[in-house]
Amino acid sequence: WERLAREYDAYRLIAEKLRRHGVYSRAGRDPPPSPTAFRPPLYPMILAALVGGGQVSPLSVAVLHVTLGLGTVLLVFRLADAWGLGRWSWFAASLTACDPILLNQTAEVMTETLATFLAVVCLLLLARWQTNGSWKQAFGVGLVLGLATLCRPTFFIWALFGACYVCIHHERPGRGERLGHGEYWSRLRRFGSAVALGAGCMAALMPWAVRNQVVMGKPVLATTHGGYTLLLGNNPAFYDHLCTQPWGQVWDAKELQPILGRELSGPDFSTEEHPELVADRLLYGSAWKTIREDPKMFGLSSLVRIGRFWRLLPHQLSDDESLGARAARWIVALWYGAVFLVAGVGFLTEWARFRQPAWVWGLLLVASFTLVHTVYWSNLRMRAPVMPVVYLAAAAGAASVWRRAVCRK
């Protein structure tokens, strides 16, 4: 309950401001609310619907997260069956229910629980549609992808990857063969499906972009948080930390404060342009400047971010860590080590299965999140939305091992 009552990324504050004043704002308790786009809107809007007595209570967050978590587990079971795992669907759902990241984030007022639920919803809709559905179905899937983007902007990259996949995925004619009318129509149909998918996604994002144009002067599709997140993983202090500190040592983000103060102290924030837009542009500029001046460290830091995204052992956050906390961290590491091993077996032994369109969408989800967090700041909890795909692969691996063991016996 104490964790559910904490404020992490101003989601609760924004929800309460929205409910009290009708303004999407992260201003403090006393100042008048001013519009913001620093956080994506879907999760705070859901929290705003749960406000009672002017506050988001821990109980309301607990009910929301438990409902979303149970929904995720049930949908993973349905998704595994749709992906052809048959009686092993229960195994994928059980692994998802026990995931340490998802269990931990259920007690945090943050977006991982909702983002994972939306990822599984999208995958289930895509499994039903795949690449042969109608344009109307593609538009509907795009709408859900747009809603997921309003929860976690990284989903937008997944939508782009998916639209490209729809365009290029087709049976190619053999050498010397010519395309018939059926093949041309099939390509046109796939292109239309990709356009419908993108149109649905943009339709879901448009109200947010229009709102930002009206109140902030720019049609921000996602958030004004990107510059800070990019700078967090690409700044001189972090690069120096990687060169001087032991491998795996946690970097204290407080070291970024002097850089933020220096970057944001120069411009005149009294202009008509919204301060968040100015700050986001300046922080993006500072991050790209650091990358251009030290490309080797950018390459190293990118490898570090990939490693942290797929890290097995959670970081030690306290010097006086108890024996129980250390044991819990290592149990988590053993869990993920076993899961990744079995998922790897599934990927190697069931390659034909992974080439099917439904599975390809799952792999694109994993690739898009990994790619984004190769450049932007990364840590272990940020892979939460892709873990159901890992557990589906682990179920395929377990099924493959079981079949081979039975056949050998």
Side-chain angles (χ1 to χ4, degrees):
W1 292 111
E2 290 78 7
R3 294 172 63 192
L4 286 169
R6 293 176 190 168
E7 182 69 285
Y8 292 95
D9 291 335
Y11 292 116
R12 173 184 274 110
L13 175 62
I14 293 173
E16 293 172 356
K17 287 282 184 179
L18 183 60
R19 188 62 179 268
R20 292 176 185 172
H21 305 286
V23 179
Y24 191 88
S25 171
R26 64 187 180 103
R29 304 292 177 180
D30 297 327
S34 59
T36 184
F38 196 70
R39 295 294 179 191
L42 184 61
Y43 183 62
M45 290 177 68
I46 294 175
L47 291 181
L50 304 177
V51 170
Q55 294 183 339
V56 179
S57 68
L59 177 60
S60 62
V61 179
V63 172
L64 171 66
H65 285 188
V66 169
T67 302
L68 291 172
L70 290 173
T72 300
V73 173
L74 292 174
L75 290 177
V76 166
F77 180 85
R78 296 290 300 274
L79 181 62
D81 185 62
W83 282 14
L85 291 176
R87 58 179 181 147
W88 287 91
S89 300
W90 66 269
F91 188 66
S94 300
L95 292 177
T96 304
C98 299
D99 181 76
I101 298 177
L102 297 177
L103 288 173
N104 181 72
Q105 293 307 116
T106 304
E108 309 280 1
V109 188
M110 301 181 78
T111 61
E112 279 74 24
T113 305
L114 176 60
T116 306
F117 174 79
L118 291 172
V120 178
V121 171
C122 290
L123 288 170
L124 186 58
L125 292 176
L126 288 164
R128 293 178 176 179
W129 170 63
Q130 294 188 359
T131 57
N132 298 317
S134 67
W135 295 354
K136 292 181 179 180
Q137 289 175 314
F139 185 83
V141 174
L143 283 174
V144 182
L145 280 170
L147 288 177
T149 301
L150 292 176
C151 174
R152 186 70 72 85
T154 310
F155 282 108
F156 188 71
I157 305 301
W158 184 34
L160 290 177
F161 284 179
C164 294
Y165 169 68
V166 171
C167 287
I168 66 176
H169 176 69
H170 58 81
E171 295 295 333
R172 297 182 178 179
R175 181 175 299 179
E177 297 181 7
R178 301 181 63 181
L179 290 175
H181 293 292
E183 287 81 2
Y184 280 118
W185 171 248
S186 178
R187 289 190 175 188
L188 180 61
R189 181 183 176 186
R190 294 180 186 281
F191 179 76
S193 295
V195 172
L197 184 75
C201 184
M202 294 305 297
L205 295 176
M206 274 303 102
W208 175 242
V210 171
R211 175 264 183 191
N212 292 332
Q213 175 65 51
V214 171
V215 302
M216 302 183 68
K218 184 178 179 180
V220 178
L221 277 178
T223 73
T224 56
H225 186 59
Y228 173 80
T229 310
L230 183 64
L231 183 62
L232 191 62
N234 297 278
N235 63 82
F238 180 59
Y239 285 4
D240 181 68
H241 169 85
L242 296 179
C243 292
T244 59
Q245 298 300 318
W247 180 260
Q249 184 73 25
V250 178
W251 177 65
D252 191 349
K254 293 180 180 179
E255 297 182 30
L256 187 63
Q257 294 302 320
I259 299 175
L260 291 176
R262 183 172 64 253
E263 294 295 334
L264 301 179
S265 61
D268 182 8
F269 285 95
S270 62
T271 61
E272 294 184 0
E273 189 174 10
H274 196 283
E276 278 188 13
L277 300 177
V278 177
D280 190 46
R281 184 174 64 252
L282 291 173
L283 297 183
Y284 261 118
S286 178
W288 286 118
K289 179 183 177 182
T290 303
I291 293 171
R292 287 192 301 269
E293 292 179 349
D294 201 342
K296 291 183 179 180
M297 281 306 303
F298 171 68
L300 174 61
S301 64
S302 296
L303 294 176
V304 170
R305 283 186 288 271
I306 294 175
R308 292 185 175 184
F309 186 81
W310 291 107
R311 184 182 175 94
L312 302 180
L313 179 67
H315 282 293
Q316 178 181 342
L317 300 179
S318 175
D319 293 334
D320 55 346
E321 183 181 51
S322 65
L323 180 61
R326 184 178 296 108
R329 288 195 303 115
W330 280 101
I331 290 173
V332 170
L334 291 174
W335 167 273
Y336 282 125
V339 166
F340 290 167
L341 178 61
V342 179
V345 170
F347 187 79
L348 294 176
T349 60
E350 300 286 327
W351 175 241
R353 181 195 299 272
F354 281 85
R355 295 176 60 186
Q356 298 173 5
W359 283 87
V360 171
W361 277 99
L363 296 178
L364 289 175
L365 174 65
V366 175
S368 60
F369 269 72
T370 303
L371 178 63
V372 169
H373 290 291
T374 300
V375 180
Y376 288 82
W377 181 252
S378 174
N379 57 38
L380 185 144
R381 70 175 175 83
M382 293 180 179
R383 74 167 185 253
V386 309
M387 287 309 301
V389 178
V390 176
Y391 291 128
L392 288 161
S400 175
V401 172
W402 176 260
R403 286 194 302 269
R404 291 171 185 268
V406 170
C407 291
R408 183 176 298 169
K409 183 177 179 180

